[in-house]
Amino acid sequence: MNSGRIAIIETLRGKGLFCDADINFARFICREAGPDAGYELYLAAALVSHAILVRKHICLDLTMLSGDLNSWFSDLTDAGQGVEALRHELRRLPVPENWLEKLAGYKQVAGTPGEFKPLIIKDELIYLYRTWQCEQQLALMIKARCGVDGGFDAGAVAGRITAISGRFFSDSLFEQNIDWQQAAVFAALRNRFSIITGGPGTGKTTVAAAIVALLFERDLSLRITLCAPTGKAQARLQESLLIETEMLHCSREVTEKTAAVPSCTIHRLLGARPDSEDFKYNRQNQLALDVLIVDEASMISQSLMSGLLEALPPQAKVVLLGDMDQLASVESGMVLRDLCLASEINHFSPQFSAAFNLAVNGSMPALPPATKTLSLSDCTVELQISRRFDPAKGIGLVASAIKALPVSPDNTAVDAIIRAACSDATGQLQVSPLPDFRKGGLEKALSETLRGQRVTIEGPREKMLLDYFNAENIDAAYEIFRRFRILCSHRRGMYGAETVNLLTEKIIRGQNNLSDFYKGKPVMITENCPMLNLFNGDIGLIWPDEKGRLKACFPNRDGERENGFFSVEISTLPRFETAFAMTVHKSQGSGFQHVLLILTPDQNSPILTRELVYTAVTRAEKHVDIWSSREILAASIRRRTRRCSRLQNYL
């Protein structure tokens, strides 16, 4: 064993470097391998752990490394030492020659697919056994679900898709073009597994309402459930379904059944157990469901998606809704994007096209023909027309331009997006230099923004944002507060959400009244607590009850309480954080009238990606103010999230 190089690795802990779990795992693997374990095994174990736990890959791709460890830590920032000193140490850690051959010699800990060993080697990839098994099982479960629903009859729904969907989607744009919303509804009815992707405002939840109504027209006894990764995403899905249900041209029975479809978070659906990764519902104890519609699927990790499909009966229909261009899960994998890339989006077999033509009574042009035969053929539809944004200007122009970028864009394309954002004439976007934190500039700029921010309530009526503190009740306060949010690229640091929340509280409260809780304090739950009906991502306000006692008040999501909010004793709250500002990751599944986006000035940060910018910009309905230099914004848009997995290949 090369103890000198291993000793260097063990000193490389901290921001952007190895974490304690990486080092402990490497030590464990070497102990299991025996006294002959060398540097190549220790390094492989530490890197595969780092790849999965920190970088959120599914496996370690050895082709991403060359020369020395500077190739792995290419985005290194200051980690408590000078960066150049760290670079020097990394140069002392070469990538081993004939690495795979050497690893294959450790029979106790390294094996090939199908063997029960801690490390699994497949081509140029190294997996942990559990991540390899999870990826394999997920691919097999999806393949098994692909196919036509045995109970589907295109003739039986002839005209009904257009009658129901046309109520929502009637548009002169479709007179000479394909109505992709109707194609999505048809795909979900026809298939046992389907994916509906599209940006904000393209009608994903509206499509969900049409799907549910048409399924109930076929069979009122169907057991249908909606779910989403977070509480706020689930609440928005259910709220949207209730709104859309009012527009359905269906019988009273179908309308009532559609409005009453239950919704919950994925963890609640599966019966998450406290302090355990196991769920109540699993392969041995499956859910009693016929149809499951899953929103915000881009936020679902590979392991959670696997657990969800395991808990469903084989005959259950699954519909995934989401935006494949949004940020991926905070855990390992980017399942929705892998699934979309494994299918030929918006291209269909002759059988699918013929049945669709029958279902819509030949009312639109022929669907584009498929050129490949894939596991997910006929399963994936991308909605392409946004009712929220005009793709030719403002937010819509920037968002669509980011979506259209290739994996490695040239400077011309990126510069065009920066110019469009910085010179927007619609008033929807404004790019301003990042205020200087050290000179008090950030606090001053935040104060001016918060005190001058206006929001629109009930049509043209405007309110100042900070008026919510003096609202007459919690309903009125929340209605104002929810329309503006500060989004930060990072959680920590001078420009991170934690710092911005502290500064915002200082600005709003002044130097006095330093108690932890006060009227109007926004809180965001950061752990699931089914007993209190609170889940990760739920946002509420601290507000006095009728006796003047401060309570934590949250929007009602289940219709079981008489008013729009339910209250929780502050002392019983699960883990939470202040929510004037949140990370862009935490904002997924949310929407606001106005957004302030703050990008940390770290050009090498792996967090700054085009998916982050796209997600943040599309959270806003009316206006986005971006605080960033042009250089940082350009670097963020140029960098694409890369997460190594083979799910796309297996499908």
Side-chain angles (χ1 to χ4, degrees), residues 187-469:
L189 295 176
R190 175 184 185 269
N191 300 331
R192 292 172 54 233
F193 183 86
S194 55
I195 303 163
I196 301 169
T197 184
T202 53
K204 295 186 294 294
T205 53
T206 304
V207 164
I211 292 167
V212 173
L214 286 164
L215 286 171
F216 277 137
E217 282 195 347
R218 189 179 82 187
D219 185 354
L220 280 172
S221 68
L222 285 174
R223 298 166 296 181
I224 303 176
T225 290
L226 312 174
C227 70
T230 66
K232 63 174 177 283
Q234 167 257 318
R236 287 193 65 183
L237 175 62
Q238 187 176 46
E239 179 184 7
S240 297
L241 191 71
L242 289 172
I243 293 171
E244 309 296 359
T245 298
E246 297 175 1
M247 300 175 62
L248 294 174
H249 285 179
C250 300
S251 66
R252 180 178 58 82
E253 292 83 2
V254 168
T255 301
E256 290 176 353
K257 286 284 289 186
T258 302
V261 169
S263 71
C264 59
T265 64
I266 295 175
H267 283 83
R268 188 178 188 184
L269 176 70
L270 294 179
R273 303 178 188 276
D275 304 318
S276 173
E277 294 184 359
D278 297 328
F279 296 110
K280 174 183 177 181
Y281 295 101
N282 48 47
R283 191 184 298 273
Q284 287 73 41
N285 180 34
Q286 294 183 324
L287 293 157
L289 287 178
D290 300 307
V291 181
L292 181 66
I293 299 177
V294 187
D295 197 16
E296 297 293 347
S298 65
M299 300 169 64
I300 304 176
S301 68
Q302 186 160 293
S303 60
L304 184 58
M305 184 68 79
S306 181
L308 184 62
L309 294 186
E310 278 187 344
L312 291 174
Q315 71 278 8
K317 182 189 294 289
V318 178
V319 181
L320 302 182
L321 310 174
D323 185 347
M324 69 174 181
D325 294 297
Q326 271 192 198
L327 280 167
S329 163
V330 295
E331 301 300 331
S332 296
M334 46 194 314
V335 175
L336 182 65
R337 187 165 186 83
D338 281 343
L339 296 183
C340 290
L341 293 177
S343 60
E344 199 172 3
I345 299 174
N346 288 2
H347 287 73
F348 303 95
S349 68
Q351 296 81 4
F352 183 102
S353 297
F356 178 64
N357 188 57
L358 173 62
V360 298
N361 292 329
S363 60
M364 64 183 68
L367 297 172
T371 61
K372 307 172 184 176
T373 301
L374 304 169
S375 298
L376 287 168
S377 292
D378 296 339
C379 291
T380 308
V381 179
E382 181 178 16
L383 308 180
Q384 299 182 335
I385 297 178
S386 174
R387 269 66 174 182
R388 186 178 304 172
F389 304 124
D390 184 339
K393 58 186 180 182
I395 293 172
L397 173 62
V398 170
S400 58
I402 291 174
K403 280 171 62 79
L405 286 174
V407 174
S408 301
D410 58 34
N411 291 335
T412 302
V414 175
D415 290 345
I417 296 173
I418 301 301
R419 285 196 304 273
C422 293
S423 60
D424 175 50
T426 67
Q428 294 182 6
L429 286 123
Q430 181 175 345
V431 180
S432 306
L434 187 65
D436 191 329
F437 182 90
R438 291 183 173 86
K439 295 182 179 180
L442 180 60
E443 183 176 344
K444 180 181 178 182
L446 283 171
S447 179
E448 292 174 352
T449 297
L450 293 166
R451 298 186 190 285
Q453 182 64 51
R454 293 176 178 272
V455 298
T456 303
I457 307 293
E458 295 178 359
R461 190 159 60 93
E462 285 192 338
K463 290 274 191 179
M464 301 302 295
L465 172 67
L466 297 187
D467 283 350
Y468 90 84
F469 282 99

Side-chain angles (χ1 to χ4, degrees), residues 14 35 40-41 66 76 154 159 165 178 185 218 230 261 446 480 490 515 529 540 566 581 587 596 598 602 611:
E40 65 279 349
L41 179 61
S66 62
L76 183 67
S165 302
I178 296 166
V185 173
R218 189 179 82 187
T230 66
V261 169
L446 283 171
I480 299 171
H490 290 62
S515 60
C529 184
F566 67 97
S587 76
L596 167 59
I598 303 177
D602 181 356
E611 289 85 2

